[in-house]
Amino acid sequence: MNDTVNSSPDTLTIARPDDWHLHLRDGETLQAVIGASARDFSRALIMPNLVPPVTTAAQARAYRERIHQALKGSGVSTAFTPMMTLYLTETTDPADVVQAVKNGDALAVKLYPAGATTNSDSGVRDIERVMPVLEAMAEHDIVLCVHGEVTTHEVDIFDREARFIETVLAPLRRRLPSLRITLEHITTAEGVTAVREGGGALAGSITPHHLMINRNHMLVGGIRPHYYCLPILKREHHREALVAAATGGERYFFLGTDSAPHPRGAKESDCGCAGVFNAGNTLSCLAHVFEQAGALGQLEGFTSHNGAHWYRQQPASDTLTLVKSNTPRTQDLMVRVGDDEIVPFDPGVPLYWQVA
Ligand code: DOR
Ligand code: ZN
């Protein structure tokens, strides 16, 4: 008997996934989107780019409390733990960061180059000015999460990640080799290579959308604003490098959805916002990608082990089961927020895997 025929499993049980990069926003948007993450994920690393940004331990505690309140109103009964980040500014005090992490008010610190993305104006213009914070973080083994793009006007938007790796990350690594850095939402072959050569001091998070679509999906045959995100989608060979990294069982690559809700009106606009709201169908998307790569067995490492290990956490003790059905999953419903709505990620292909 040829047991390769019909041998692909149609259920898959894994430790409950974590999302190591999530935008939950605040207020009524937070209330509207929290369920999409809480349903499937055990924990998430919450991005601090609110207005005003979450820069202090007190702000992180207050924001976490608002997330807990929103969870209560979400109707989701499984446990979901938000883990907080502090937004690094040029006036951040090193001692405050160390204390916040010691007290459990934050797990990591987020570096936005000023002007790189949504609400990054309070970010870092001159890395020299945050060196004392970074030195203290290296000393206390606190992870630095970076949005790895240069913001110089002369640099083409498609080259901004590669240029950041060359001109900002590499010198920083030489100066502070023991600082552990998450290169967030990597989008290029250069990002993959940097992490592989990072000697255990670099990790890379990868989004579902960068694994599924390239810049043609966004720009050919009409412009699709709901695929616009930062770092921007790249060429197909970069997507292929990301898929190889995610599905290859390498421990320094893990899931960060970068789920980033914006109202439809702010996306479909003369000057549309960057961000893809993918939290609700991330696991269906990933099971599809990993199955296509013949690597379903590596899914759990990517979603549930590697990131936990990097952030020095135990993997979740409960599980999540994915089931492959004969009929595709229907596209997620719009999420209402006030008079507007948030459009969920449409990967453009039928998804047969669903969370049980
Ligand atoms: O596409 C993005 N959206 N990239 C980011 O870096 C930020 C995010 C947001 O907050 O909207
Ligand atoms: Zn983000």
Side-chain angles (χ1 to χ4, degrees), residues 21 23 25 47 49 110 112 116-119 147 149 185 209 228-231 258-262 267 273-276:
H21 183 125
H23 299 271
R25 315 303 190 202
M47 290 298 117
N49 60 334
K110 176 69 188 254
Y112 289 102
T117 187
T118 312
N119 304 333
H147 182 112
E149 290 192 286
H185 42 52
H209 43 289
Y228 174 61
C229 61
L230 291 169
D258 200 10
S259 185
H262 291 277
K267 300 269 312 162
C273 292
V276 174

Side-chain angles (χ1 to χ4, degrees), residues 120-334:
S120 61
D121 300 348
S122 314
V124 175
R125 290 187 162 72
D126 177 3
I127 197 144
E128 282 310 317
R129 306 189 64 144
V130 296
M131 282 312 288
V133 182
L134 302 185
E135 281 158 12
M137 289 171 61
E139 190 188 329
H140 293 271
D141 194 31
I142 299 169
V143 173
L144 178 71
C145 298
V146 293
H147 182 112
E149 290 192 286
V150 296
T151 55
T152 344
H153 290 298
E154 307 82 77
V155 180
D156 189 274
I157 188 167
F158 292 100
D159 300 333
R160 287 179 171 200
E161 180 173 298
R163 191 66 71 84
F164 180 92
I165 290 166
E166 195 184 304
T167 64
V168 183
L169 185 66
L172 177 60
R173 297 258 307 117
R174 285 193 290 273
R175 272 175 86 169
L176 280 179
S178 65
L179 177 64
R180 293 195 302 131
I181 301 174
T182 311
L183 198 48
E184 299 208 280
H185 42 52
I186 54 171
T187 63
T188 57
E190 288 87 344
V192 170
T193 301
V195 170
R196 283 190 182 134
E197 294 176 350
L202 274 189
S205 66
I206 306 180
T207 79
H209 43 289
H210 288 99
L211 290 172
M212 294 195 82
I213 52 179
N214 63 34
R215 66 193 202 178
N216 276 16
H217 294 98
M218 177 176 60
L219 295 171
V220 172
I223 187 162
R224 291 179 181 75
H226 297 284
Y227 288 166
Y228 174 61
C229 61
L230 291 169
I232 201 159
L233 296 165
K234 306 293 192 305
R235 290 175 181 274
E236 175 62 7
H237 81 85
H238 292 295
R239 190 192 68 82
E240 287 166 0
L242 297 173
V243 170
T247 62
E250 298 173 66
R251 73 192 296 189
Y252 291 103
F253 296 101
F254 50 79
L255 172 64
T257 65
D258 200 10
S259 185
H262 291 277
R264 181 194 282 274
K267 300 269 312 162
E268 300 174 5
S269 144
D270 285 352
C271 185
C273 292
V276 174
F277 175 56
N278 58 20
N281 65 5
T282 283
L283 292 162
S284 294
C285 287
L286 291 178
H288 175 88
V289 169
F290 278 67
E291 184 179 49
Q292 294 278 302
L296 270 177
Q298 304 292 354
L299 181 66
E300 183 178 41
F302 181 72
T303 59
S304 318
H305 291 168
N306 298 351
H309 181 264
W310 172 250
Y311 286 105
R312 312 242 196 267
Q313 308 292 313
Q314 292 298 320
S317 50
D318 62 332
T319 58
L320 172 139
T321 297
L322 285 150
V323 179
K324 189 177 183 184
S325 67
N326 295 322
T327 48
R329 171 194 171 110
T330 44
Q331 177 62 18
D332 291 42
L333 298 174
M334 303 292 158

Side-chain angles (χ1 to χ4, degrees), residues 17-99:
D18 299 312
D19 179 356
W20 294 105
H21 183 125
L22 176 63
H23 299 271
L24 284 177
R25 315 303 190 202
D26 215 340
E28 60 178 352
T29 304
L30 166 61
Q31 187 64 67
V33 302
I34 183 84
S37 292
R39 266 189 286 282
D40 293 347
F41 293 94
S42 174
R43 293 165 289 209
L45 190 61
I46 309 300
M47 290 298 117
N49 60 334
L50 304 182
V51 187
V54 178
T55 57
T56 66
Q59 287 170 327
R61 279 198 304 273
Y63 186 28
R64 181 167 54 197
E65 181 51 33
R66 297 198 295 282
I67 295 169
H68 281 136
Q69 288 306 323
L71 273 169
K72 283 187 195 151
S74 72
V76 177
S77 57
T78 47
F80 175 76
T81 306
M83 310 191 87
M84 311 310 287
T85 54
L86 293 180
Y87 188 120
L88 180 63
T89 74
E90 293 185 355
T91 57
T92 299
D93 182 336
D96 289 349
V97 166
V98 172
Q99 197 59 45

